[in-house]
Amino acid sequence: LGMAADGRAPFARRRRPGHTASRTQLRRVLPILAVCLFCAYAFWFSQRAMSAHPGPAVEAGALGHVPGEHITVQMQESADLLKTTRDSQLVKETLSSVPSASPVACTDDVKAHMAGGQATCGDFSGSAYVDIQTSSEPFERREMTISAWILIDEPIGDEILSIQTIVSNKHSGCSADPGHDGFSVFVNAWNTNSRQLYLSWGNSESGCEELATENDAIPVARWTFIAATFDGKDASLYVNGKLLAHTGRNLGHTRTASGSSSPVRRSMKPTAPLRVGAHTDMKHYLHGYVAELSLHASAISAQQVSAL
């Protein structure tokens, strides 16, 4: 074959200007591209793993949920409280088929009181509730304590929040019938922003026998610890560990059909589900948050309430 004028064979492939430099640069870039691809894969894999396990495990006793899971509500284990190996199975939180509470991260002042310092709180938007179904043990007892951390939303402008239900197994209103037997714990007198804490119960004479604190006992937009007790004779209410109302000690306000504040007369519904965030007739929804809802099978003492 003849040679071209520049000394190369005819049709020989011409090397593009800078070809050698391009190959050198490619060798340098390839490791960087490989690292970037690996990082992108690691990020994708981590997102897949998180979506398969949404959020951290909810601590026992924290009201809140990961959709589709059941959460055991904490029962205090103490010689003075439940004397049963089944105390952790006494109540169970189950999700309602229509809107239920959304889980949100609790603030530090509440987490400090939770097991492990972590908790999920139930976010009740004014149309949400959570039903807690009974197990082999009755919920409502002659002697019992209900406690929880709560945060009530601040009214907007001239808004009247009215009754803000924390937990109930009874209808609202005062009719003396089986639907109004049971108990409820709520904030605010009807059609007011009184910020009182209430414990209500029903009997054959009235569906709204009540014990209430003084006005302004419950701050708005701030986490507050509440407890309500029945000791077999009297009812009592605590706010942040302090006794503020008692049927037998002339503390707070008591309303009964008979006019007698003590002893308390109750018609109970031991196996009825508990509804958190509304009364059982779907009235008086809660605007706020609830965490660490607990039921105890005795009327715990003031000292024990302070220790919760």
Side-chain angles (χ1 to χ4, degrees):
L1 295 174
M3 300 297 290
D6 60 2
R8 283 182 296 216
F11 312 112
R13 183 165 48 187
R14 294 179 181 271
R15 182 171 295 163
R16 293 188 299 274
H19 185 70
T20 302
S22 298
R23 293 179 62 185
T24 302
Q25 290 173 0
L26 186 60
R27 291 194 198 99
R28 294 175 179 173
V29 170
L30 280 175
I32 299 174
L33 290 174
V35 171
C36 292
L37 287 171
F38 177 81
C39 292
Y41 174 78
F43 178 78
W44 172 83
F45 182 83
S46 65
Q47 294 300 304
R48 280 289 295 264
M50 289 177 67
S51 65
H53 303 283
V58 180
E59 294 291 325
L63 182 63
H65 64 267
V66 175
E69 294 185 358
H70 297 293
I71 299 168
T72 300
V73 177
Q74 180 186 21
M75 300 303 299
Q76 201 74 18
E77 296 183 11
S78 166
D80 296 323
L81 304 179
L82 286 174
K83 297 180 176 68
T84 170
T85 58
R86 294 176 297 177
D87 57 354
S88 63
Q89 300 295 321
L90 185 59
V91 292
K92 245 187 204 233
E93 178 186 351
T94 59
L95 307 183
S96 303
S97 58
V98 291
S100 53
S102 301
V104 296
C106 289
T107 54
D108 291 341
D109 53 347
V110 176
K111 288 193 290 186
H113 296 265
M114 305 294 185
Q118 295 181 354
T120 301
C121 299
D123 180 1
F124 296 81
S125 60
S127 61
Y129 65 86
V130 171
D131 280 341
I132 304 176
Q133 305 292 338
T134 186
S135 62
S136 58
E137 297 284 351
F139 280 162
E140 187 176 5
R141 301 168 181 234
R142 188 61 56 190
E143 296 186 19
M144 61 181 294
T145 300
I146 311 103
S147 64
W149 282 91
I150 64 170
L151 185 151
I152 305 299
D153 288 346
E154 187 170 7
I156 300 173
D158 296 330
E159 179 185 19
I160 301 297
L161 289 179
S162 193
I163 292 172
Q164 299 291 293
T165 308
I166 309 304
V167 61
S168 179
N169 70 348
K170 68 184 292 292
H171 290 354
S172 61
C174 296
S175 299
D177 58 48
H180 291 81
D181 292 345
F183 73 94
S184 62
V185 179
F186 57 89
V187 175
N188 288 341
W190 179 76
N191 207 30
T192 74
N193 291 327
S194 66
R195 291 165 48 188
Q196 294 169 274
L197 179 64
Y198 275 81
L199 175 59
S200 178
W201 59 93
N203 56 36
S204 60
E205 295 182 3
S206 171
C208 59
E209 310 266 272
E210 293 172 343
L211 174 66
T213 66
E214 301 291 345
N215 288 0
D216 302 322
I218 304 295
V220 294
R222 186 187 308 168
W223 282 103
T224 305
F225 185 73
I226 63 166
T229 72
F230 292 111
D231 65 7
K233 178 184 178 183
D234 288 302
S236 57
L237 288 169
Y238 297 82
V239 176
N240 290 330
K242 184 177 180 180
L243 179 65
L244 295 187
H246 191 285
T247 55
R249 301 185 189 178
N250 198 31
L251 281 176
H253 304 274
T254 304
R255 181 177 75 170
T256 64
S258 67
S260 173
S261 60
S262 180
V264 168
R265 295 177 53 249
R266 295 163 53 207
S267 296
M268 299 188 300
K269 293 193 288 192
T271 59
L274 300 182
R275 178 156 292 171
V276 185
H279 277 66
T280 57
D281 53 357
M282 307 299 291
K283 294 181 179 179
H284 305 308
Y285 284 99
L286 173 65
H287 296 75
Y289 302 85
V290 178
E292 198 77 355
L293 176 72
S294 299
L295 273 72
H296 311 273
S298 67
I300 64 179
S301 66
Q303 182 179 7
Q304 288 170 317
V305 168
S306 299
L308 291 178

